[in-house]
Amino acid sequence: FLAAAAMSVAATRLRAQGAAHVTLTIPSEANGPHMPEDYVGLSYEVQQLLDPTFFSPKNTGLIRVFKTLSAHGVLRLGGNTSEFEWWKPTPDVKEPEHPQTREVEGEPKAQYYPVTAEAVRNLAGFLRATGWTCLYGIGMGTNSAEGAAAEAEYVAKTLGERLQYFQVGNEVDLFSRHLRDPETWNAKTYLDEWLAIARAVLKAVPDAKFGMPDVAANVGWLTQIAEMWPSVQNPPHVTTVTHHYYFGGPATNPEVSISNLLKPATMLRVQKTADTATAAADKMGVRVRMTEGNTCYRGGKPGVSDVFAAALWSADYSLLLASKNYSGVNLHGGTGKSVANSVGGSLPGDLMLKDAGETPEQIASHPHPFYTPIATFGDQYTLEPVAYGLMFAGELCGATLVKADLTSQIQATGVDAAAYAAKLPGGEMAVVILNKDAAHDLELSLDFGPSRSSTVETETLHATALDAREAHITHDSKRASLKHGQYLVPVPHASGLRVTVR
Ligand code: BDP
């Protein structure tokens, strides 16, 4: 069968001058998951709050790029640095005593810093100006229940309806490395500790909502928590179970490459994790969200994280999780200092730059981690390629996805591509095709069925090459005609296309 399939694919490629031809029948009804309006999200270190002028209503440049990315996005604050924050409501409040932690290679150093009332007030103004809401991260690793409750009270009051929920603790499945006793730390001891803090928060904020457990990678904890949950007396209101995802890392790992990032096996692993997480969420009757992730941990890898390949990856990754009923994704980033502190002082991507012959001064002049969706140059903010992929996927926000597995149909040709279809709130059908293949072009016959009219709108996600430091979204609203409900369209290698039919 495989040989026959390969032969017929080869034959169709020859016919279409190198492009593999596929006919995709687009169902006229969508009965898959609904992709929420606020699906698109970003994640920043809590330490970003150390500069209260960053998330501020006065930071108009940043507000502009947030709004370009999404009109209703979700800003999540967390990261490794969230374990070393302490709440400083007024200038006279002294730094508390901190518990003993272990210093471990590869884990962040205990660098304590205050989160101030001013930073939280500015954050509220920033959220109002952008139209975004917030998942607010409070530390657990070195925090006290009283500290968490006092911070939560001020945050709830100040952010108001801009606050979706609290997250307490970041990547708790890794606490055994440096913050807890590896002999006793597990999903059960975590849950007990989490409940104690959540109940203290509830005393201060009776209607507080939560997302948890924000594991780095071990989604098995979601399964275990879902199993333990029915025996929790008077459970706090958890709306979302959460996990993180980094394709690989660190930057020095040769496995972190464009071809590995984009190959179908990578997304198969993502699907497996998603199935586990979704099953746990369903069992608890809550949603699941990927609250922190990106291409390559410890700050990303130049030439992979900051190029067009990352745009195709983030578009595919985001739509795949939407098709698994996730409530959203938050891509991690921020300015250099906060992310560097989160990974123990310097970004290993710097090592790569040293290998590439950059001087320490040149390295120091890179002001942000390589995976950041929004880069900062002085007071200028720009959307990086990885953000373009998220923005492209985000155009299906508010839509209902069709259940058909269009990706498998395309991949049967041997081309590394993915496809998703959805019914938009206005009734239009949209199809997104992501041709991640480095060499093979596609030619698609999209069969929308006879009932669709002939107004076709297209939009492309493109760049000059997979490894180009650029991404573009080009809107093309020319009217094309459907022949017997069919639309024939090329999707060149290394590009994305959205076709919307009224
Ligand atoms: C995650 C941490 C985050 C780091 C990121 C990274 O939560 O704080 O910035 O890894 O390594 O595990 O880049």
Side-chain angles (χ1 to χ4, degrees):
F1 165 77
L2 276 180
M7 266 172 65
S8 82
V9 168
T12 41
R13 272 204 196 130
L14 276 179
R15 241 194 350 255
Q17 291 173 337
H21 184 93
V22 196
T23 300
L24 289 182
T25 303
I26 311 303
S28 56
E29 278 315 312
N31 50 10
H34 173 76
M35 188 164 160
E37 284 289 353
D38 63 353
Y39 190 85
V40 166
L42 293 175
S43 164
Y44 279 80
E45 294 292 326
V46 170
Q47 207 198 33
Q48 199 79 50
L49 294 177
L50 196 48
D51 172 7
T53 67
F54 189 77
F55 293 124
S56 153
K58 293 204 181 112
N59 199 353
T60 49
L62 190 62
I63 291 167
R64 192 171 38 76
V65 286
F66 266 64
K67 284 169 91 167
T68 304
L69 181 59
S70 169
H72 311 282
V74 179
L75 168 62
R76 175 262 185 186
L77 295 175
N80 282 334
T81 62
S82 73
E83 304 310 338
F84 304 109
E85 57 106 8
W86 57 277
W87 175 233
K88 189 176 170 76
T90 52
D92 56 299
V93 170
K94 294 263 154 6
E95 182 163 355
E97 294 265 335
H98 303 293
Q100 200 65 41
T101 61
R102 290 184 295 282
E103 212 166 274
V104 177
E105 174 65 28
E107 293 302 328
K109 295 191 182 67
Q111 306 192 45
Y112 292 94
Y113 61 94
V115 170
T116 64
E118 182 197 7
V120 174
R121 280 196 303 274
N122 286 355
L123 172 66
F126 178 83
L127 293 168
R128 280 193 292 271
T130 50
W132 285 44
T133 58
C134 184
L135 316 179
Y136 189 92
I138 295 178
M140 176 172 180
T142 68
N143 209 355
S144 64
E146 303 76 60
E151 181 170 355
E153 184 171 17
Y154 189 80
V155 168
K157 188 175 75 190
T158 310
L159 300 192
E161 62 182 14
R162 297 276 133 205
L163 174 68
Q164 281 206 19
Y165 67 66
F166 291 113
Q167 169 201 310
V168 180
N170 176 77
E171 302 195 341
V172 291
D173 52 331
L174 304 182
F175 272 23
S176 52
R177 292 193 186 164
H178 60 314
L179 294 168
R180 292 293 181 274
D181 180 357
E183 297 288 317
T184 54
W185 190 245
N186 55 38
K188 169 83 176 77
T189 43
Y190 155 73
L191 182 59
D192 290 344
E193 208 183 287
W194 182 86
L195 283 167
I197 301 183
R199 295 203 196 289
V201 168
L202 280 166
K203 274 204 187 116
V205 186
D207 59 354
K209 296 187 204 109
F210 300 91
M212 58 95 94
D214 241 60
V215 287
N218 191 350
V219 286
W221 278 39
L222 273 62
T223 313
Q224 291 180 52
I225 289 165
E227 272 159 17
M228 292 183 279
W229 199 250
S231 61
V232 174
Q233 302 283 319
N234 224 338
H237 186 179
V238 169
T239 67
T240 316
V241 287
T242 58
H243 68 83
H244 297 175
Y245 173 79
Y246 287 86
F247 156 70
T252 43
N253 181 350
E255 294 292 313
V256 180
S257 64
I258 288 179
S259 57
N260 283 342
L261 178 69
L262 296 182
K263 70 183 180 192
T266 295
M267 288 300 160
L268 282 179
R269 278 207 306 276
V270 168
Q271 279 191 40
K272 266 196 157 165
T273 307
D275 286 338
T276 306
T278 309
D282 288 351
K283 196 165 178 183
M284 285 174 71
V286 302
R287 295 302 296 263
V288 55
R289 190 170 182 107
M290 197 298 291
T291 42
E292 186 202 303
N294 216 311
T295 49
C296 170
Y297 59 78
R298 285 201 225 148
K301 179 167 182 164
V304 177
S305 305
D306 57 355
V307 296
F308 184 61
L312 289 173
W313 168 80
S314 63
D316 191 12
Y317 180 75
S318 303
L319 290 174
L320 177 58
L321 291 193
S323 77
K324 294 284 176 188
N325 203 25
Y326 275 53
S327 64
V329 301
N330 298 76
L331 295 186
H332 195 57
T335 60
K337 203 164 161 260
S338 74
V339 178
N341 284 344
S342 79
V343 298
S346 69
L347 301 173
D350 295 350
L351 298 176
M352 310 284 301
L353 295 171
K354 227 178 253 164
D355 289 348
E358 292 210 358
T359 64
E361 292 71 41
Q362 282 169 321
I363 293 168
S365 75
H366 294 273
H368 43 72
F370 298 100
Y371 55 43
T372 193
I374 296 175
T376 314
F377 298 96
D379 57 0
Q380 298 289 309
Y381 299 96
T382 51
L383 290 172
E384 286 286 311
V386 74
Y388 273 78
L390 181 60
M391 189 156 71
F392 196 66
E395 284 170 7
L396 297 192
C397 282
T400 305
L401 295 164
V402 306
K403 269 196 177 147
D405 181 359
L406 303 175
T407 296
S408 298
Q409 290 180 42
I410 298 193
Q411 288 184 355
T413 65
V415 176
D416 176 14
Y420 304 89
K423 192 172 202 162
L424 300 181
E428 309 93 331
M429 284 305 292
V431 185
V432 172
I433 305 105
L434 302 163
N435 186 348
K436 302 181 291 175
D437 208 293
H440 296 122
D441 299 335
L442 277 171
E443 185 187 61
L444 295 180
S445 289
L446 301 176
D447 190 341
F448 288 97
S451 58
R452 292 281 161 182
S453 78
S454 58
T455 311
V456 176
E457 206 188 292
T458 61
E459 193 176 71
T460 51
L461 174 66
H462 59 102
T464 49
L466 282 176
D467 61 357
R469 278 268 308 122
E470 58 171 20
H472 310 278
I473 293 179
T474 305
H475 198 83
D476 184 0
S477 55
K478 75 164 184 280
R479 277 160 187 255
S481 57
L482 294 184
K483 229 189 211 160
H484 308 299
Q486 287 217 353
Y487 184 62
L488 190 70
V489 65
V491 189
H493 65 278
S495 76
L497 172 74
R498 175 169 62 87
V499 176
T500 304
V501 176
R502 267 154 230 290

